[in-house]
Amino acid sequence: MYIMARLFPLVIGAMLFNASSAGASAGSASQVPPRDQIPAESQWHLTDIYANEGAWQADFDKLRGYLPLMSSYKGKLAEPPHNLAECLELRDKIGVIGGKLYAYARLHRDENAAVTKYQALTGKMESLLTEAGTASAFIEPEILAMPDADLAKIRKNDPALNEYSFYFDNLERQKKHVLSPAEEELLSLSGEATQTPENVFNMLSHADMTFPDVTDAKGNKLALSEGLYHSYIMSPDRTLREQSFKALFGTYNSYRNTFAATLNGSVKKNIFYARARKYDSVLGSSLAGDNISPEVYDNLITTVDNNLGPLQRYVALKKKVLGLSNIHMYDLYTPLVPSATMKFEYPEGLKLIHSALAPLGPEYALILDKGLSSGWVDVYENKGKQTGAYSWGVYSVHPYVLLNFHGQYDDVSTVAHEMGHAIHSYYSFSNQPYINSNYATFAAEVASTTNEVLLIDYMLKTTTDKQQKLFLLNQYLENIRGTVYRQTMFAEFEKMIYAKSEQGETLTADSLDAMWHDLNVKYYGPNITIDKEIDVEWARIPHFYWDFYVYQYVTGYSAATALADQLQTQGLPSQERYLGFLKSGGSDYPINILKKAGVDMSSPAPIEVTLKKFSSLLDQLESLLKQQ
């Protein structure tokens, strides 16, 4: 359904951006102020969307009134010919108004979840958007059912349809995979039932499973949860790391057959949908929406597989620096150097960001200033506020950014990251009609990660404190290890399990364990003990229920690294290409837009640039450590 497809990806994207912002940690409850104690200049201006709730309600009523008019076009898109443009323009109008209505309600809700009024408004809008999606669901099947000559004639004779050229061409490209109305209805009806494997995974892993307590080196008994595991596995206390590792994966191992059944069910579901839509494979089906060739996916895996040497050298260095006779999987996340003291007041962090993003040019700097000083950003944590961070674009208004700033380096990096998303949305929304304004996930993380890379590169160039430089180098290496190497291993695992399942094999706990074990051996090499507990780690990864999604983390990071390198070395030509990428929105396929910006993701070059960067950073870290 078009309305849902145009609005809720903005919401999903916002939530996904949260993952990049883990550094925005919450303070203790006693330290967190109520909303009314946050300075007004540190709060976003939601009155830029609607001056008050009366104005919101007026637009809500207007949108609801458009729905019968939308339904009146059903069966009439081809005759009279002007109906097609009128219907598409009405759908876009509904999309723009719906986006504003939903953002106003949801962003107010995220300010303080305890305010039930905005919970109600958010739910009210979600229901109306579902109605809007239902009212417009006929449009694309009806367009695709038109004879090609008739549609071509309508497009040629109606100038109002010119801005929909890419939309029509993209629909035509996927036409052979759209089924008859009756078949489409059946597939739609099956959706709720076939979601069961992922629902079971979520309930089992997030609700029903409990973990035993663990003990640290001093004999203290500590509770274990998924959230606490993240901090324990990075602890300098090796006893705590080992106990946490064995307790967490031991618990997953107890449910390994159930997790294998849910993952097998999810894979079979995706195979069913891909074959029903006449795709050769689930990989082809998953990449088709963005017109990405499976060769891009295969190229990523091959390139990383051919460059595992630096990762294995990093493991060997970690073993040496930590003074371990044997390094285990539970040692892998331990920082090589203690955290350096790096505290920043918010204005100080903004000055760093401005300096670091100078390679993006003066026009970008002006928009950055505008966003940071004009009510786009909600800066500090308050009681009831949504945790983490995100960017949220509102077409016809401006983007918004939610932060929970606490003054750590990660918080400064989060500001740079989220403003990258925000300015991407600003450029896209300012330069594209609504139909082409929403950029693809494949490109979404590029703009944000480019800012992150520029910031840490700037910090490494300008930081004179040795301990801080060691901290930054370690963090940079961990970013690449976790995003490029680890997510590529995830992507390779997905390719393996789908290949087996598409050949008729059932995925069992034993076969999944064996594949995961072998990949860890291949990636991390001979310098680390691949503990048997890690074999069941596949059971913990929710991304495997989002078919062939994780590779985009790698392509996004690699594209950003290559673009940041160009921006720092090539000057104005690179700036112009990069701003062209931001302005393009969704007006072309993401791989074409990125190619014009200067990175060809169908080639190994951007990935190789990133892996060479990893090797160079490792050289710098080794050299600095020798000076201690």
Side-chain angles (χ1 to χ4, degrees), residues 123-313:
K124 184 176 175 180
M125 252 328 286
E126 287 173 351
S127 296
L128 184 59
L129 290 176
T130 299
E131 291 180 39
T134 301
S136 63
F138 69 92
I139 295 176
E140 288 172 3
E142 198 166 317
I143 291 172
L144 289 169
M146 291 182 188
D148 292 345
D150 291 355
L151 178 58
K153 183 178 179 181
I154 294 172
R155 289 178 61 182
K156 180 180 178 181
N157 293 334
D158 193 340
L161 292 174
N162 289 344
E163 67 183 38
Y164 296 93
S165 292
F166 178 68
Y167 167 73
F168 285 125
D169 293 344
N170 194 33
L171 271 182
E172 180 64 28
R173 177 181 64 84
Q174 300 180 75
K175 186 173 184 177
K176 63 182 179 181
H177 301 294
V178 177
L179 308 180
S180 69
E183 290 169 324
E184 288 289 346
E185 184 177 1
L186 280 174
L187 288 187
S188 177
L189 290 171
S190 72
E192 187 174 357
T194 56
Q195 193 65 18
T196 298
E198 184 178 356
N199 291 340
V200 172
F201 166 82
N202 287 327
M203 293 304 296
L204 179 59
S205 60
H206 298 149
D208 293 343
M209 282 176 58
T210 57
F211 302 98
D213 291 342
V214 294
T215 306
D216 65 15
K218 296 179 180 178
N220 299 311
K221 185 176 286 188
L222 302 171
L224 177 65
S225 66
E226 281 282 3
L228 290 169
Y229 177 77
H230 177 74
S231 59
Y232 293 168
I233 203 66
M234 297 177 68
S235 169
D237 183 338
R238 198 179 192 211
T239 299
L240 179 58
R241 295 201 305 269
E242 181 179 1
Q243 286 231 349
S244 303
F245 175 83
K246 291 182 176 179
L248 183 112
F249 288 114
T251 304
Y252 272 95
N253 191 64
S254 300
Y255 297 93
R256 61 196 288 270
N257 292 308
T258 301
F259 281 117
T262 61
L263 183 55
N264 184 66
S266 182
V267 169
K268 294 293 187 186
K269 171 198 78 173
N270 292 326
I271 291 172
F272 163 72
Y273 284 123
R275 289 176 176 170
R277 294 195 176 281
K278 303 178 178 65
Y279 285 100
D280 294 334
S281 66
V282 177
L283 178 60
S285 171
S286 301
L287 305 186
D290 289 333
N291 200 25
I292 305 293
S293 167
E295 292 177 1
V296 173
Y297 194 95
D298 295 340
N299 170 68
L300 166 64
I301 292 172
T302 301
T303 305
V304 172
D305 281 359
N306 290 337
N307 289 274
L308 294 175
L311 174 62
Q312 294 170 12
R313 184 160 65 96

Side-chain angles (χ1 to χ4, degrees), residues 296 300 417 421 440-453 483-484 487-488 549-564 578 581 594 599 601 606-607 610:
V296 173
L300 166 64
H417 180 103
H421 284 307
T441 303
F442 189 85
E445 288 299 319
V446 175
S448 55
T449 307
T450 297
N451 282 10
E452 274 192 72
V453 172
T483 305
V484 177
Q487 299 295 334
T488 301
Y549 183 91
V550 296
Y551 85 102
Q552 295 176 102
Y553 293 129
V554 189
T555 54
Y557 196 99
S558 299
T561 302
L563 286 168
Y578 187 77
F581 152 64
L594 286 170
V599 286
M601 294 311 299
I607 302 158
T610 305

Side-chain angles (χ1 to χ4, degrees), residues 337-343 408-409 465-472:
V337 294
S339 294
T341 302
M342 300 178 74
K343 290 288 289 183
Q408 303 296 326
Y409 172 76
D465 183 278
K466 184 178 177 181
Q467 199 61 31
Q468 290 183 359
K469 187 161 283 193
L470 283 168
F471 167 78
L472 290 165

Side-chain angles (χ1 to χ4, degrees), residues 361-416:
E363 179 182 303
Y364 192 98
L366 286 172
I367 297 170
L368 179 64
D369 277 334
K370 179 180 180 179
L372 293 170
S373 62
S374 303
W376 292 15
V377 185
D378 205 79
V379 181
Y380 299 111
E381 182 180 9
N382 60 255
K383 288 181 181 178
K385 186 177 177 180
Q386 168 71 38
T387 59
Y390 62 66
S391 171
W392 192 303
V394 184
Y395 194 87
S396 80
V397 184
H398 58 69
Y400 286 90
V401 170
L402 180 140
L403 303 172
N404 284 275
F405 189 87
H406 291 280
Q408 303 296 326
Y409 172 76
D410 278 353
D411 295 308
V412 178
S413 183
T414 294
V415 178

